[in-house]
Amino acid sequence: MAQAHDVVVVGGGIVGCMAARELAPDHDVLVVERDQIGSGATGRASGLVTVVEEYSDTPAAAEHAIEFFREYDGTGHFSFHERTYVELRSDEHDAESLRDHASTLRENGFEAAFHTPEELTDRFPDTFELDGYAGGIVYEDAGWLDPYTFVTTVKEDAEREGATFRTGVEATDLIVESGDVVGIETETDGRISADRVIVAAGWRTRQFVSDHVDVPTRPYRYQTYNLDHERMLTEAFPMAWDEHSHLYFRPEPNGELHVGGGTYFVKPPGTPRSKTTEGFRRLIAETIPELITNLGRTKFVTGDTCRFGDSATPDRYPIVDAPAAAPDGLVIATGTHGFGIMAAPILGRAIRLVVTGEEGPFPVDAFSLDRFEDRTTDFGSSYIAESPELVGPGD
């Protein structure tokens, strides 16, 4: 008879690995992954940690994440590179409302301030061309990390606490008896018994649990490029996000400029893709040399894309829940909306709180499935194009 586990986690991305790390100290945890650890959206991520802004509606969760990364720096092969982050806002915004938003962030304990274009120029000389901008919010509680070393370090932590990982094992079905989850069915290892199943399989989560509960997520793809250029990017050069193009960028250790964005929805199951779109290349070519000063001769070096896609929700916040309407013992963790790396400490802890019922450093209600009355995938996003043809300007 197959061994029974307290918890089986479906998905070996950063969310599944963080769930294992959180639960392994007092649970028998098995993680099954159809490919390799971190081989999906996790491995294609840019590694920006701008959680203070992305989770500004849940400041206690944002604080938990940023403090985790600071304390985790130096663990195993993992490093957290703190760096100032600038959110460049278009002149369609009222400067006073942006200033008020930054003030609210400071009241919540974060270092953030609104800067006018003139103030940004003083703070970051010869860095941005800011015609058409109201200014930007500057965040000090930010940085970046390497996703691969992060996920492998988290996995090693979980293993030291007793968690087991099986790669090349695809979960094909959820096994439910008398309204209770009793395990999963796999293609290679047959039935695996468990008291609880956590499904953290990215956009495939919706498909995997569809016989039991509807989850409002859509798969979408993001893209990245590294650019070679002539400018010296010192420690003073910030990470940034540009509202006009929805591109973000950060320096690489080798001096290249890492640029990401170009998001678009894909139809499940989608077609695996490893090449960036022409529209994304044009978007970068028409934006970055005009926005960043003194880059000099610039050329594309390496491009990448989220091969199968990430998962989006209607409100850009994840779902971490044990839905009342679902079989007892089922936990869903999905809809990271491109923020899975930076939100991993939040999601891992939220999964533990849902599983154990413990009190935690932040409330998990914001991640409940019940916040969505409409569970269909008929939603759009101002940040995600409906097709790859609409990614770049002129498409």
Side-chain angles (χ1 to χ4, degrees):
M1 183 176 179
Q3 178 185 357
H5 300 272
D6 295 335
V7 177
V8 168
V9 181
V10 179
I14 188 57
V15 177
C17 289
M18 282 296 290
R21 180 183 180 275
E22 287 278 347
L23 291 169
D26 51 5
H27 294 76
D28 174 21
V29 180
L30 170 67
V31 179
V32 295
E33 163 58 42
R34 69 198 298 267
D35 199 339
Q36 297 298 316
I37 298 301
S39 60
T42 293
R44 299 301 197 275
S46 295
L48 270 69
V49 177
T50 57
V51 67
V52 170
E53 173 53 25
E54 305 304 346
Y55 279 71
S56 60
D57 291 338
T58 54
E63 181 181 9
H64 175 77
I66 196 70
E67 288 306 315
F68 174 91
F69 288 120
R70 285 170 171 157
E71 293 176 7
Y72 208 55
D73 179 44
T75 301
H77 298 290
F78 173 76
S79 297
F80 176 51
H81 308 274
E82 295 203 48
R83 187 173 285 259
T84 301
Y85 170 65
V86 183
E87 201 174 58
L88 297 170
R89 288 294 187 174
S90 76
D91 57 10
E92 294 181 1
H93 291 277
D94 175 64
E96 200 57 39
S97 65
L98 295 173
R99 202 180 304 277
D100 289 345
H101 179 57
S103 177
T104 299
L105 290 168
R106 288 196 301 277
E107 290 171 3
N108 289 328
F110 301 113
E111 290 189 61
F114 172 74
H115 288 49
T116 65
E118 294 76 20
E119 291 168 338
L120 283 176
T121 299
D122 289 341
R123 173 73 189 273
F124 306 103
D126 298 319
T127 298
F128 301 121
E129 175 55 59
L130 295 172
D131 287 344
Y133 291 87
I137 299 179
V138 178
Y139 300 83
E140 304 299 340
D141 299 291
W144 66 275
L145 56 85
D146 173 62
Y148 178 75
T149 54
F150 181 35
V151 71
T152 53
T153 302
V154 169
K155 171 181 177 286
E156 290 167 1
D157 271 359
E159 287 177 320
R160 277 191 290 271
E161 293 291 345
T164 303
F165 289 77
R166 295 186 199 166
T167 57
V169 177
E170 182 172 2
T172 57
D173 200 8
L174 189 69
I175 304 175
V176 177
E177 295 177 358
S178 302
D180 295 334
V181 167
V182 295
I184 60 171
E185 192 68 39
T186 69
E187 196 161 291
T188 54
D189 291 20
R191 175 173 173 153
I192 299 175
S193 299
D195 297 328
R196 196 176 299 265
V197 173
I198 299 168
V199 186
W203 66 264
R204 293 186 178 88
T205 298
R206 174 184 171 86
Q207 174 183 314
F208 189 77
V209 303
S210 61
D211 288 343
H212 308 282
V213 63
D214 291 326
V215 181
T217 58
R218 291 184 68 181
Y220 80 102
R221 181 171 285 129
Y222 49 79
Q223 307 176 77
T224 63
Y225 250 108
N226 278 12
L227 305 180
D228 190 17
H229 53 87
E230 296 177 342
R231 176 172 179 151
M232 177 70 71
L233 301 182
T234 67
E235 288 295 320
F237 187 89
M239 308 186 305
W241 175 77
D242 167 40
E243 185 174 23
H244 285 296
S245 63
H246 294 166
L247 292 176
Y248 59 82
F249 50 86
R250 64 163 174 81
E252 288 278 15
N254 65 358
E256 294 174 355
L257 186 70
H258 179 86
V259 182
T263 55
Y264 61 91
F265 286 115
V266 295
K267 295 179 180 179
T271 302
R273 184 184 180 98
S274 58
K275 293 183 179 179
T276 58
T277 64
E278 182 59 32
F280 179 57
R281 288 172 59 94
R282 291 211 319 273
L283 179 62
I284 292 174
E286 296 178 19
T287 300
I288 296 301
E290 297 295 322
L291 177 61
I292 303 175
T293 60
N294 301 322
L295 280 181
R297 183 180 176 86
T298 305
K299 63 180 180 179
F300 293 97
V301 181
T302 56
D304 202 357
T305 184
C306 188
R307 187 165 179 258
F308 290 100
D310 202 344
S311 58
T313 62
D315 64 2
R316 301 177 72 228
Y317 271 75
I319 299 166
V320 180
D321 199 4
D328 189 39
L330 174 63
V331 176
I332 296 166
T334 188
T336 57
H337 213 104
F339 307 140
I341 292 291
M342 71 176 75
I346 300 170
L347 302 178
R349 180 58 57 88
I351 290 169
R352 179 175 177 86
L353 299 180
V354 168
V355 168
T356 65
E358 300 168 347
E359 293 292 323
F362 54 84
V364 296
D365 295 352
F367 312 132
S368 169
L369 177 62
D370 287 343
R371 73 185 190 269
F372 300 112
E373 292 185 8
D374 185 353
R375 304 286 178 82
T376 69
T377 59
D378 187 22
F379 63 86
S381 169
S382 60
Y383 296 92
I384 304 175
E386 285 294 330
S387 70
E389 290 74 28
L390 299 175
V391 167
D395 283 354

